[in-house]
Amino acid sequence: MIQLFDSHAHYDDSRFAREFEGGGDGAILKAREEGVIGIINVGSSLKNSRNSVALSEKYSFIKAAAGLHPHDAQFIEKGMEAAALDEIMSLLRHPNTVALGEIGLDYHYDDTDEGVQKKFFDAQLSMAEETKMPVIIHDRDAHGDIFDMISCHKNVTGVFHSFSGSAEMARQLINKGWYISFSGPITYKNAVKVREAASVCPRDRVLVETDAPYLPPVPHRGEINYSGYLHYTAEGLASAMNLTIEEIAAQTIENTCRLFGITEWE
């Protein structure tokens, strides 16, 4: 059985309770039986970040990330911004928390408040500098501004999750010390750009993820995603990089543990 490490999932998402037998716990345990040796459960809000830490306390093979997603950051109540950031900082001190994230910019929707998103992104990049923790970047339709802002925080590194940028952007990020993570879309027929980006990545800088319950790979598009489907993404990445699935599996476990400072997950 191929072993894999899911570097980005959201098992506290309410979709699991509605759509997966046994809910999030059922999905976690099923994936574990299918060769997933570790999972990083990623926060996007104060509530989800707390839930991520709680899951890491419940399951020894789950690690947590805590942070404010750009969409969630927009809805922090006025006057409560500092308190929200203070709570994220507190969660980062938990021994099972391995990253700050997911954070970043997302300009996809019409109601985007770019100013608020940039404010919280910059503040959290500064927190990463202070704590020396890797960050998990969410980048949607905001490549230029993301690149400019991380360039202002030269001591921060981490991973661009569910990468959707160009091959040239991947090269530039890797040259700056960043990692690139690939999710289900690498298996999609029209995702030529994603596969081109994967093809230029050195093998010691790539991760695989589900972003569960989102972005299910082929042949499960339209279903709820979970870590048991990670091998489809790994196979897609292996093909794009001209490697075997065994090579990608072993390499991405090594890369995930190196980036996030994980030494044990059993």
Side-chain angles (χ1 to χ4, degrees):
M1 182 183 296
I2 297 291
Q3 294 187 323
L4 290 162
F5 202 123
D6 189 350
S7 67
H8 192 115
H10 304 278
Y11 279 105
D12 56 313
D13 192 284
S14 60
R15 280 190 63 188
F16 282 107
R18 297 194 306 269
E19 301 177 39
F20 203 100
E21 184 176 356
D25 291 293
I28 289 167
L29 295 174
K30 190 171 190 291
R32 181 72 165 171
E33 293 173 355
E34 295 168 349
V36 176
I37 64 170
I39 298 167
I40 297 177
N41 203 80
V42 180
S44 60
S45 65
L46 291 177
K47 178 182 178 181
N48 292 341
S49 295
R50 295 183 203 113
N51 291 344
S52 291
V53 169
L55 275 173
S56 76
E57 293 175 334
K58 185 174 184 179
Y59 298 104
S60 61
F61 55 92
I62 291 183
K63 302 299 180 183
L68 298 174
H69 184 287
H71 287 161
D72 292 275
Q74 290 185 181
F75 296 103
I76 298 294
E77 187 177 342
K78 295 295 184 184
M80 298 300 295
E81 296 92 343
L85 291 169
D86 284 345
E87 181 167 357
I88 294 296
M89 181 65 87
S90 176
L91 293 169
L92 295 179
R93 298 190 182 102
H94 191 282
N96 294 341
T97 304
V98 297
L100 200 170
E102 63 188 279
I103 65 174
L105 301 173
D106 189 327
Y107 296 166
H108 184 70
Y109 297 105
D110 292 338
D111 63 349
T112 294
D113 188 327
E114 294 184 14
V116 170
Q117 288 193 12
K118 287 179 178 178
K119 176 182 175 181
F120 275 96
F121 186 33
D122 184 68
Q124 291 178 100
L125 288 172
S126 294
M127 290 166 62
E129 287 180 313
E130 181 180 345
T131 61
K132 297 181 170 56
M133 297 195 81
V135 299
I136 299 170
I137 298 291
H138 173 98
D139 172 15
R140 190 179 190 193
D141 298 339
H143 300 326
D145 283 352
I146 288 263
F147 198 88
D148 289 344
M149 291 187 70
I150 64 169
S151 296
C152 293
H153 294 268
K154 299 183 185 300
N155 294 324
V156 177
T157 190
V159 59
F160 274 64
H161 105 88
S162 193
F163 189 73
S164 61
S166 66
E168 180 56 30
M169 183 179 180
R171 286 192 189 98
Q172 292 177 354
L173 290 170
I174 288 163
N175 287 338
K176 288 179 174 289
W178 289 80
Y179 289 68
I180 309 294
S181 181
F182 295 93
S183 59
I186 200 170
T187 68
Y188 299 173
K189 184 177 180 180
N190 65 347
V192 176
K193 185 174 74 169
V194 175
R195 288 187 287 275
E196 288 176 347
S199 73
V200 306
C201 292
R203 59 192 292 173
D204 65 346
R205 293 296 187 84
V206 295
L207 309 182
V208 287
E209 62 168 282
T210 56
D211 199 21
Y214 310 105
L215 301 178
V218 172
H220 293 284
R221 291 191 73 174
E223 302 176 21
I224 187 170
N225 197 10
Y226 85 112
S227 300
Y229 294 158
L230 187 60
H231 66 281
Y232 294 109
T233 298
E235 289 167 357
L237 179 58
S239 177
M241 297 183 70
N242 197 27
L243 297 169
T244 67
I245 179 63
E246 290 81 8
E247 288 172 323
I248 277 293
Q251 187 71 63
T252 53
I253 290 172
E254 179 183 331
N255 296 347
T256 301
C257 292
R258 182 193 319 115
L259 173 61
F260 296 113
I262 299 171
T263 56
E264 59 181 32
W265 54 84
E266 299 299 332

